[in-house]
Amino acid sequence: MGFWLSSLEQGLIFGIMVLGVYISYKILDFPDMTVDGAFPMGAAIVGSGLMAGVNPVICLILATIGGALAGLVTGILHVKFKIRDLLAGILVMTALYSINLRIMGKSNIHLFNVKHLFTYNLEPIVIILIILVVVKLILDFLLKTEFGFALRALGDNEKLIISLGINEKKLKIIGLMIANSMVALAGGVLAQHQGFADIGMGTGTIVAGLASIILGEGIFKNFKKIKMTTVVLVGSILYRFVIAIALKMGLQATDLKLVTALIVVIILIPKVNFWLNRKSKAGEVSVKN
């Protein structure tokens, strides 16, 4: 029972990260690789802060700010210096590796002997749920505002936003800041939950986030009334349970990245085939006409 509860807790923590990936990937249509650096950055800030005696909640706030700054840099590189979205994210992700090492002072920090959120007399899942619910409610509220509608429209039709006189560059930067702040927050929560911060914690974060989103969408594709934030959260939990099942089957922890890649491939193949068939049929129609 403890194993499955731990998987649920991790699914909820990673759900915070998935909400961030949802903003950049689904709303902004921005393949943001920054998250692979922002996630361990949140863990690094929290780990270093806790070792210095900083309050755990303040550490999470600082981690959130750090992630927002990472998103800011990516946004500036893309919209101001015209660097392609994917390359801008890769550049910031690469730079964050060195920055995170600077923050921690070494490749990992153990938090077993310091006070953090999960050393208090509260069940870990309760603490995680409180943080997750707060983040989700804030995001749901934000997406219902004029800013949220503009953000959605930006990903769907950037020309429309420009025609309305809205500064699309500023909007995109703010969107990336919000996305990466959530990713870094998730990294900070996970560091406290696991009791350590490691420089390699962010490896494959973007893939895991995309797998969760695709999994959630695949299950709830016919349920239009369910909010997308709820859909991706359920996808995150299910993804973690799939990983847990893989471990129960005897796979090594080192195989989990391979399992993640296979999950994404298996989910995507039907969509790829459908897209190819649709394109081929459209080509046949045009030729006949």
Side-chain angles (χ1 to χ4, degrees):
M1 183 64 184
F3 177 79
W4 298 109
L5 180 60
S6 178
S7 298
L8 174 60
E9 291 171 355
Q10 288 201 13
L12 294 172
I13 293 172
F14 277 94
I16 303 171
M17 176 272 294
V18 175
L19 288 174
V21 176
Y22 164 68
I23 294 174
S24 58
Y25 175 71
K26 293 295 292 184
I27 294 181
L28 292 177
D29 194 23
F30 193 103
D32 189 15
M33 294 297 295
T34 311
V35 299
D36 274 27
F39 191 82
M41 183 186 196
I45 292 174
V46 167
S48 298
L50 290 174
M51 293 297 290
V54 181
N55 183 277
V57 176
I58 294 177
C59 286
L60 289 179
I61 294 173
L62 293 174
T64 304
I65 294 172
L69 291 175
L72 172 65
V73 175
T74 300
I76 290 174
L77 289 178
H78 175 60
V79 304
K80 298 293 185 183
F81 295 99
K82 308 301 181 184
I83 298 176
R84 290 184 64 112
D85 47 15
L86 184 62
L87 181 56
I90 291 173
L91 289 172
V92 176
M93 176 191 71
T94 304
L96 284 176
Y97 185 87
S98 297
I99 292 172
N100 293 340
L101 279 174
R102 284 281 186 179
I103 293 172
M104 292 194 294
K106 50 186 177 180
S107 60
N108 55 71
I109 298 175
H110 295 287
L111 304 174
F112 301 117
N113 298 321
V114 297
K115 282 190 175 182
H116 52 76
L117 287 177
F118 299 99
T119 56
Y120 294 100
N121 295 323
L122 271 176
E123 289 294 327
I125 193 167
V126 174
I127 298 172
I128 296 168
L129 279 172
I130 291 172
I131 298 172
L132 179 60
V133 169
V134 169
V135 172
K136 184 183 183 301
L137 290 176
I138 292 174
L139 181 58
D140 286 338
F141 171 78
L142 190 65
L143 292 177
K144 288 180 180 179
T145 62
E146 290 184 7
F147 169 80
F149 285 117
L151 201 65
R152 291 176 185 272
L154 177 63
D156 293 333
N157 192 339
E158 187 170 332
K159 291 182 180 179
L160 174 63
I161 291 297
I162 297 173
S163 67
L164 292 173
I166 299 174
N167 189 332
E168 83 286 357
K169 295 180 179 179
K170 182 179 179 181
L171 194 63
K172 187 173 289 187
I173 291 174
I174 295 174
L176 290 173
M177 290 177 67
I178 295 172
N180 284 283
S181 67
M182 291 184 177
V183 173
L185 173 62
V189 176
L190 184 65
Q192 297 186 61
H193 184 260
Q194 293 186 338
F196 68 90
D198 188 85
I199 192 65
M201 288 175 70
T203 305
T205 299
I206 183 67
V207 178
L210 294 179
S212 300
I213 293 172
I214 295 168
L215 189 59
E217 283 186 322
I219 294 172
F220 294 99
K221 60 183 178 181
N222 295 324
F223 297 87
K224 304 298 182 182
K225 293 185 178 181
I226 300 178
K227 292 181 180 179
M228 272 302 299
T229 51
T230 303
V231 169
V232 299
L233 287 177
V234 174
S236 175
I237 295 170
L238 291 176
Y239 169 74
R240 286 295 143 188
F241 276 130
V242 171
I243 295 296
I245 292 170
L247 289 173
K248 279 290 186 181
M249 291 173 61
L251 291 178
Q252 299 295 320
T254 51
D255 297 327
L256 294 184
K257 301 302 180 186
L258 175 61
V259 173
T260 299
L262 289 175
I263 291 171
V264 177
V265 170
I266 291 170
I267 296 172
L268 284 178
I269 284 178
K271 293 186 178 182
V272 172
N273 289 335
F274 173 78
W275 182 81
L276 290 174
N277 291 333
R278 187 174 61 180
K279 286 291 184 181
S280 63
K281 288 179 181 178
E284 290 175 3
V285 171
S286 62
V287 169
K288 289 178 181 179
N289 293 337

